[in-house]
């Protein structure tokens, strides 16, 4: 496996040839079936802090991972080495593992007839011709705008510009080989505000397939500064049961928990509170959750899943009812169900929303907590019990009154999903999950 020269679309044929070479070697060594993923990627990361350059890093990685089968026995191995010797050794290592593995009736490739045939072009690759000097300049400009935004911004906790491009090809012994190149660029800024002996930290960022379409660096810096300053004077609130409004960027986590609860791996291990929930009403009737994997340039788009099956648009929830689990080939077999072409996860989840913005939802809430930050991992996926540290703002009469810290919000996800009152139109576009702010009728807020 020779070194790949580029990382863009031109690298795809070269990586496809490598995949075919690795599959041929696996067959030669006695594997009854195999699948291979080969990738090459490179990126530039630049960080500044307190008007000084902290890091400028360039990385380039290449490697492959192989999973092969000897009957119903499975073995996997990976390497970052290149060359024919590395291929032979890695295949031999996977084969040795497979021979020692126990038989699994669900193991094996997806059905050959289900392999993706036509792969749509999703326009995921947009190289950004930005030099290290230009990246440093943008990061410094972002931080400078944050410092200039408010005299209470006393410190910086890092401003980072990342640019990444890569190429990945997956193939298996059914003859399927598919690949694509993609890019992802981001700029983030974390600032610290100080006043009256209290310090507060907050951030802002943007991410895009196209570097030129990132939000203006100065705007990101100002937003980070404004968020940090707005948290000054934060305090706990007495323990109460009130409505809770999750900001859009916080609400993505709620639906991320939902996807985890309906994912095949958790279901067949009996470790999800939504086991057996197909056909049940889990959300209000107006709510819909659907996957749209073929949106050009979207961050979650993909033409095929981790098993080589063609991705397709589908509803997981319609009319509030759970219509489908999230299944790959293996988890589907464990559950006695067909794959939903979601090996590796969901690609672009859309949450239906109304026409109210966050301000309108605050008015509708009246009195309660606006959550803008979540801390800790207080979720029991087996029971659905949810308890997270939270930061945000206390709301009275539909207006923000003061910032809140050192509180815990708690509930059960089944109840929380049923009690969604509204989803705002302030969509979070920097995530694989597109949702607006989410208003939940009642949760326990535990404070002082």
């Amino acid at each position: 496996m020779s070194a790949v020269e580029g990382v863009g679309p031109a690298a795809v044929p070269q990586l496809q040839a490598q995949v075919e070479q690795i599959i041929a070697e696996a067959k030669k060594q006695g594997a009854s079936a195999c699948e291979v993923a080969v990738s090459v990627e490179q990126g530039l990361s630049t960080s500044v802090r307190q008007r000084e350059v902290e890091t400028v890093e360039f990385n380039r990685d290449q490697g492959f991972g192989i999973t092969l089968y000897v009957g119903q026995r499975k073995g996997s191995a990976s390497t970052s080495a290149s060359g024919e010797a590395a291929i032979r050794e890695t295949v031999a290592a996977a084969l040795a593992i497979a021979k020692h593995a126990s038989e699994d009736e669900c193991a094996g490739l997806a059905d050959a007839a289900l392999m993706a045939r036509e792969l749509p072009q999703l326009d995921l690759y947009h190289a950004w011709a930005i030099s290290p000097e230009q990246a440093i300049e943008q990061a410094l400009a972002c931080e400078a705008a944050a410092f200039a935004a408010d005299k209470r911004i006393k410190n910086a906790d890092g401003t980072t510009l990342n640019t990444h491009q890569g190429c990945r090809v997956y193939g298996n012994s059914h003859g399927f080989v598919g690949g694509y190149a993609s890019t992802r660029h981001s700029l983030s800024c974390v600032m610290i505000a100080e006043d009256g002996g209290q310090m507060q930290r907050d951030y802002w960022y943007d991410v895009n397939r196209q570097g030129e379409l990132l939000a203006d660096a100065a705007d990101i810096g100002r937003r980070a500064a404004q968020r940090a300053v707005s948290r000054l004077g934060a305090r706990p609130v007495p323990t109460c049961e009130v409505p809770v409004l999750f900001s859009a960027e916080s609400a993505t986590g709620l639906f991320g928990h939902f996807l985890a609860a309906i994912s095949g791996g958790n279901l067949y291990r009996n470790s999800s509170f939504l086991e057996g929930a197909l056909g049940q009403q889990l959300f209000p009737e107006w709510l819909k959750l659907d996957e749209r994997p073929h949106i050009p340039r979207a961050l979650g788009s993909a033409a095929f899943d981790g098993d080589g099956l063609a991705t397709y648009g589908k509803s997981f929830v319609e009319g509030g009812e759970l219509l489908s689990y999230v299944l790959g080939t293996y988890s589907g077999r464990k559950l006695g169900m067909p794959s939903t072409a979601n090996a590796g996860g969901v690609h672009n989840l859309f949450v239906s929303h109304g026409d109210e913005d966050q301000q309108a939802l605050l008015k509708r809430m009246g009195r309660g907590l606006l959550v803008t930050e979540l801390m800790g991992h207080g979720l029991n996926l087996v029971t659905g019990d949810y308890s997270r540290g939270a930061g945000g703002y206390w709301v009275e009469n539909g207006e923000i009154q003061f910032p809140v810290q050192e509180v815990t919000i708690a509930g059960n996800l089944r109840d929380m999903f049923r009690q969604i009152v509204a989803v705002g139109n302030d969509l979070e576009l920097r995530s694989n999950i597109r949702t607006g702010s989410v208003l939940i009728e009642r949760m326990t807020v535990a404070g002082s």
Side-chain angles (χ1 to χ4, degrees):
M1 188 170 82
S2 59
V4 177
E5 289 181 14
V7 293
V12 172
Q14 201 176 343
L15 293 182
Q16 286 175 331
Q18 290 178 359
V19 164
E20 288 163 0
Q21 183 185 355
I22 296 164
I23 290 171
E25 179 63 29
K27 286 180 177 175
K28 180 180 166 187
Q29 290 195 30
S32 51
C34 75
E35 52 190 338
V36 179
V38 177
S39 65
V40 58
E41 53 191 340
Q42 71 180 36
L44 171 71
S45 178
T46 307
S47 292
V48 304
R49 183 177 172 276
Q50 290 287 66
R51 305 177 179 88
E52 298 286 340
V53 178
E54 280 207 321
T55 59
V56 179
E57 297 175 356
F58 179 80
N59 68 284
R60 183 181 169 93
D61 299 302
Q62 181 179 350
F64 75 88
I66 181 170
T67 295
L68 51 74
Y69 303 90
V70 179
Q72 299 298 116
R73 302 174 191 269
K74 168 184 164 183
S76 300
S78 61
T79 182
S80 58
S82 58
E84 291 186 13
I87 291 175
R88 280 196 305 274
E89 290 165 13
T90 307
V91 168
L95 205 55
I97 293 166
K99 286 175 179 175
H100 287 95
S102 54
E103 291 208 359
D104 182 346
E105 62 181 9
C106 297
L109 302 179
D111 191 331
L114 299 177
M115 292 294 115
R117 294 284 176 259
E118 294 179 14
L119 302 180
Q121 293 302 310
L122 300 176
D123 195 21
L124 305 181
Y125 183 83
H126 294 270
W128 192 12
I130 187 170
S131 67
E133 292 78 15
Q134 290 169 324
I136 290 167
E137 187 181 328
Q138 277 216 31
L140 286 171
C142 181
E143 188 191 74
F147 274 119
D150 195 291
K151 64 181 187 302
R152 290 167 291 180
I153 296 292
K154 306 286 191 186
N155 205 341
D157 207 15
T159 297
T160 303
L161 188 147
N162 284 312
T163 172
H164 172 271
Q165 51 184 319
C167 186
R168 181 179 182 275
V169 170
Y170 167 88
N172 60 40
S173 49
H174 284 330
F176 173 82
V177 181
Y180 58 90
S182 64
T183 52
R184 186 183 181 96
H185 315 289
S186 64
L187 177 60
S188 65
C189 179
V190 186
M191 302 304 290
I192 298 169
E194 186 177 351
D195 192 42
Q198 189 188 61
M199 296 171 68
Q200 291 288 348
R201 172 183 177 277
D202 214 325
Y203 70 96
W204 198 245
Y205 74 100
D206 197 20
V207 59
N208 204 296
R209 294 277 186 198
Q210 296 170 262
E212 297 84 359
L213 295 185
L214 284 173
D216 180 69
D219 288 345
I220 291 173
R222 282 190 288 268
R223 186 80 178 267
Q226 289 159 2
R227 284 167 61 94
V229 167
S230 73
R231 296 175 69 121
L232 287 168
R235 59 186 194 265
V237 293
T239 298
C240 54
E241 279 201 7
V242 290
V244 171
L245 177 61
F246 287 82
S247 66
E249 61 268 22
S250 300
T252 58
L254 290 178
F255 295 106
H257 297 324
F258 172 71
L259 291 178
I262 62 167
S263 70
N266 288 320
L267 292 166
Y268 78 71
R269 294 186 187 97
N270 305 117
S271 59
S272 168
F273 71 99
L274 291 182
E275 188 182 340
L278 270 185
Q280 290 182 13
Q281 180 93 22
L282 299 178
F283 294 89
E285 286 189 6
W286 51 264
L287 195 135
K288 179 179 180 180
L289 298 175
D290 64 303
E291 179 185 26
R292 305 178 196 176
H294 297 161
I295 299 171
R297 296 177 298 284
L299 293 174
S301 295
F304 55 92
D305 79 342
D307 293 329
L309 275 60
T311 53
Y312 60 95
K314 68 183 80 69
S315 292
F316 292 108
V317 171
E318 195 154 352
E321 180 184 321
L322 180 61
L323 300 183
S324 171
Y325 292 141
V326 175
L327 304 174
T329 297
Y330 182 80
S331 61
R333 286 173 183 158
K334 293 289 275 187
L335 294 168
M337 304 173 81
S339 170
T340 59
N342 287 115
V346 170
H347 305 284
N348 302 322
L349 183 77
F350 277 70
V351 181
S352 60
H353 61 86
D355 55 8
E356 294 170 289
D357 61 12
Q358 189 183 92
Q359 205 62 40
L361 292 182
L362 288 174
K363 292 265 186 264
R364 194 199 282 211
M365 178 168 70
R367 175 178 182 267
L369 181 67
L370 166 62
V371 172
T372 58
E373 181 183 27
L374 291 163
M375 291 150 275
H377 300 281
L379 170 65
N380 184 331
L381 205 60
V382 177
T383 62
D385 288 338
Y386 179 95
S387 178
R388 304 278 304 274
Y393 303 88
W394 187 252
V395 177
E396 296 272 2
N397 302 315
E399 300 285 343
I400 288 174
Q401 301 299 312
F402 56 85
V404 172
Q405 66 180 8
E406 296 175 12
V407 299
T408 301
I409 56 172
N412 183 279
L413 284 176
R414 259 193 189 269
D415 298 331
M416 291 161 64
F417 294 153
R418 272 198 305 267
Q419 293 179 20
I420 292 176
V421 174
V423 178
N425 63 7
D426 54 330
L427 295 184
E428 171 59 78
L429 302 178
R430 302 165 300 176
S431 168
N432 184 43
I433 297 173
R434 291 199 180 182
T435 177
S437 297
V438 172
L439 178 58
I440 293 178
E441 188 177 343
R442 189 162 295 275
M443 291 183 71
T444 299
V445 177
S448 54

